[in-house]
Each structure stands twice: as structure tokens, then as C-alpha cells.
Amino acid sequence: MAFEDYNNEDDRIKDKLTQKTWNEIRTNDSWAIFKIMSEFVNGYESMARIGPCVSIFGSARTKPEDPYYLLAERIAYKISKAGYGVITGGGPGIMEAGNKGAHHGGGTSVGLNIELPFEQHFNPYIDKDKNLNFDYFFVRKVMFVKYSQGFVVMPGGFGTLDELFEAVTLIQTKKIGKFPIILVGTSFWSGLLDWIKATIIEKHHNANPEDLNLIKLVDTEDEVVEVLDNFYKKYNLSPNF
């Protein structure tokens, strides 16, 4: 059952606690596999034609006059001028800023949108043939990770943290290559990094000290491009535009 089929939150909870008949399982759960499969197939085929880009994550709630919106726009513009395409979540806020900067920079501008009951709608700066829509968060996240040359993480909320730690975990566990993860905004992110170092690593030993080296903390668009360019020079590669 999709989120829009529920009348209220109580219905969602009751549905999870209700023992379903075999016919209901086959109708609702088993057949959902085919919808999930179709999203993967469409996503893979579409993104394979576009090629890898740099993913920009951040809050959908950031207003156009916010300094971080303007910074994300400048970052995407510089990224596109350096030869990198840009992927965002396709919605408003930081996502819109990312697509806007890429659009004005003449670069590839991709939007991976998710259907939500609030906050989310396509922004107008996505390339016409690079606008993908998803029902499932986990399918969308696969597309972000599989086709990303790097991750630029602007200030955001729980969704942004989810995308950040997904990328860190997959790199830490060597499930994907060690692509750059760039946090933008020292004042926003330094508290989180300090907590990871002091509590997760030093106090509880739940991660290795070198895991923090996977993350770069910067404040400007020039620093973002420098991190990306240094990474590709190190491996004698060039952007996939």
C-alpha cells in the first residue's frame, strides 16, 4: 500500500500490525516486486545513458535567499564549468540550487525525484530528458550512489544525513570506490564531525580514526572543485561529462 492510500497515520500502523491472508500478501507485497524492478530497470537504463555525475545533497526547505542556496548554486555552476555533470534529488531548496547552477553553467543537470506527501516537486532547472521519478527511497539511493563521481553535501535534515551516511558506509565497507565526500559549511557540520570523533571513534571505538579521512570539510565553491580535481588528477582520470 502506497503512502497516499492511507487515510491517516493510525491506518498505516494498524496495517503493519494486522495479520494478512496469503491472497493479500500475494496481491500487495509480492506484486510490489515488479514495480520495484521496473524502477531499477528504468533508472539503470536512463542513468547509463547520462553517465556519472557529482551528486549534490541538501535540504528541500532551504529558501532561494538563503546563503547556502546561493552557495550551492555557485558550486554547481563551477562543477559544471569544470566538466562534471550534476545530480540532485530534483526537488526544491538545495536541490533546485544545484540544478540551477548546472543549468546556467551549461552542464548536465539531472533530477532524481521522489514522490512524497509534502515538500517535493520537480524544479524547473533539470534537463528535459534527465528527469526521473521514484516511489521507493532505496531505489533512488542506488541511482545516486552507482552513478556518482563524488558527493557534495550541503546543510540539510534527516534525508541529507541518510544520504551522507549511506555514501560513507558503502565506501568504508568497500562496496563502492573511494569517491570524494565533501561537506560544505564548517559551522554546520563541525559539531557532527567532533561528535563522531569524540564519541563514536575515541570513546566507544565503533569506527576507525582513518574513516574520518573519507570526508573533506570545506566552505567555498573553489574548495569543492579543488577536492574533485585533485581526486581525478591522482587517478589520472577526467570528468565524465
Side-chain angles (χ1 to χ4, degrees), residues 135-207:
D135 283 328
Y136 298 96
F137 268 110
F138 63 90
V139 179
R140 179 179 180 242
K141 286 202 293 184
V142 168
M143 300 306 147
F144 270 124
V145 172
K146 182 174 175 60
Y147 294 98
S148 288
Q149 293 174 297
F151 305 92
V152 176
V153 190
M154 304 295 298
F158 292 127
T160 303
L161 292 172
D162 178 44
E163 291 157 342
L164 165 63
F165 286 115
E166 176 88 2
V168 171
T169 300
L170 291 172
I171 292 174
Q172 178 202 46
T173 56
K174 303 186 187 304
K175 294 297 183 181
I176 63 173
K178 196 181 291 186
F179 292 103
I181 298 175
I182 308 168
L183 301 187
V184 180
T186 301
S187 63
F188 186 89
W189 293 110
S190 58
L192 174 65
L193 295 180
D194 290 343
W195 175 79
I196 291 173
K197 181 180 179 182
T199 303
I200 292 181
I201 295 175
E202 294 178 353
K203 183 176 181 180
H204 294 286
H205 309 291
N206 289 333

